[in-house]
Amino acid sequence: MALKETYILNTSELSAGYEKEIIVDDVNLEIRAGEIVCLIGPNGSGKSTILKTITRELDALGGKIFVLGKDYTGLSELESAHHVSMVMTEKIKPEFMTCREVVETARYPYTGRLGLLSEDDKAVVAQAIKTVGAEELSEKQFCKVSDGQKQRIMLARAIAQDTEVIVLDEPTSFLDMRYKIDLIRVIRRFAKEQKKAVIMSLHELDLVKAVADKIVCIGNGKVLRTGTPSEIFSGNFIQTLYGINDDEFDNETGMLKL
């Protein structure tokens, strides 16, 4: 008998929402090591709600979340920080902190109550900054760098947390084309080389088509379809998902046609 596969992250009949109002119901996700899963769907469909539930910013309203086969919802906040890191859309505003110091905060789950970084912690931080190509930003004040540079630093912070799962909510929002491409390349390379499970929401369907191993389509309060890019971008499913005409979207490029 074949052994049952252990996914890095999976959910079982997960219900996500706010307080007692369910926004998305019966969410079943399965993510392997090195795999990038993208959530797509119209604004307000619940993509961010699902991600915030996975990161425990919101309480699950039903179902289970598992990391490495273990019930993630039963872990303490400190234990969960060892398994799941995040880059969310809300912009942080650390006063007078350098970019390096922002990345260093990712090591706090490992430092104990005093929050003192060891040489090993500092090495992890330096490597994370190098991974995203942000060495030149290390000593600059975080509040004074561009949005694209901030996103690189926040990704470095998630990487430095050294978790099996990285959650990103619209990581390319507010970025120009160059920064979008750079960030997606870093995410893809890091996931593959370090065998991390990455789950993120994206609005840019051309980027989804380029980076996703699996796409999860959210609409009408549920998961409507899950599949590879070739499966999702076939036929007129995307047009139906977003409520646009068949001739307004190019399945080959993932771009709108005006």
Side-chain angles (χ1 to χ4, degrees):
M1 180 182 296
L3 292 175
K4 185 177 180 180
E5 179 173 7
T6 298
Y7 294 98
I8 298 296
L9 171 74
N10 67 292
T11 66
S12 176
E13 300 179 348
L14 181 67
S15 297
Y18 295 86
E19 296 180 352
K20 295 183 179 180
E21 181 184 358
I22 295 174
I23 305 298
V24 189
D25 201 16
D26 197 25
V27 178
N28 296 286
L29 304 174
E30 296 173 339
I31 309 178
R32 299 174 177 86
E35 195 169 48
I36 297 175
V37 172
C38 290
L39 305 185
I40 66 171
N43 287 339
S45 59
K47 302 182 297 297
S48 294
T49 307
I50 292 171
L51 296 182
K52 288 179 179 179
T53 304
I54 289 173
T55 61
R56 296 177 61 178
E57 185 175 338
L58 295 173
D59 291 332
L61 300 183
K64 293 287 187 178
I65 303 169
F66 300 95
V67 176
L68 296 175
K70 297 179 180 179
D71 184 356
Y72 174 68
T73 55
L75 300 180
S76 69
E77 186 174 342
L78 179 61
E79 289 173 322
S80 65
H82 289 191
H83 295 289
V84 178
S85 58
M86 69 195 82
V87 179
M88 305 306 278
T89 50
E90 293 84 358
K91 294 181 181 180
I92 66 167
K93 296 180 180 179
E95 297 293 335
F96 310 115
M97 290 180 71
T98 65
C99 291
R100 174 182 49 78
E101 289 169 338
V102 169
V103 178
E104 286 178 346
T105 63
R107 300 304 300 168
Y108 289 170
Y110 304 93
T111 59
R113 294 182 179 178
L114 295 179
L116 299 176
L117 272 65
S118 67
E119 292 304 312
D120 286 343
D121 290 320
K122 293 177 182 178
V124 170
V125 168
Q127 181 57 48
I129 292 172
K130 182 178 180 180
T131 296
V132 303
E135 297 98 318
E136 78 283 0
L137 302 176
S138 289
E139 302 310 317
K140 293 183 178 181
Q141 284 194 22
F142 181 82
C143 61
K144 293 183 178 180
V145 301
S146 71
D147 284 341
Q149 292 168 330
K150 284 185 173 76
Q151 281 297 77
R152 276 200 284 166
I153 293 302
M154 294 308 296
L155 179 57
R157 183 181 183 276
I159 290 171
Q161 199 170 322
D162 193 23
T163 58
E164 295 92 1
V165 180
I166 296 181
V167 177
L168 305 107
D169 189 12
E170 300 178 20
T172 56
S173 294
F174 314 114
L175 304 187
D176 64 30
M177 189 176 296
R178 177 73 265 163
Y179 276 120
K180 287 179 192 286
I181 293 171
D182 286 346
L183 195 70
I184 289 297
R185 282 176 174 167
V186 169
I187 292 169
R188 182 174 60 186
R189 184 176 66 248
F190 177 74
K192 303 306 179 188
E193 291 179 355
Q194 300 300 319
K195 301 300 181 186
K196 302 295 185 179
V198 174
I199 179 169
M200 61 180 169
S201 61
L202 281 176
H203 280 301
E204 303 92 337
L205 296 182
D206 54 331
L207 295 181
V208 172
K209 191 175 175 69
V211 75
D213 296 299
K214 187 187 299 178
I215 301 171
V216 179
C217 307
I218 312 296
N220 300 324
K222 59 185 177 181
V223 175
L224 296 175
R225 183 177 292 185
T226 299
T228 64
S230 61
E231 291 169 338
I232 298 301
F233 285 88
S234 63
N236 66 346
F237 177 75
I238 292 293
Q239 290 91 328
T240 301
L241 178 65
Y242 286 93
I244 59 177
N245 296 326
D246 288 354
D247 61 357
E248 292 177 324
F249 181 76
D250 187 333
N251 288 334
E252 290 298 319
T253 63
M255 301 289 289
L256 291 174
K257 296 192 295 184
L258 303 178

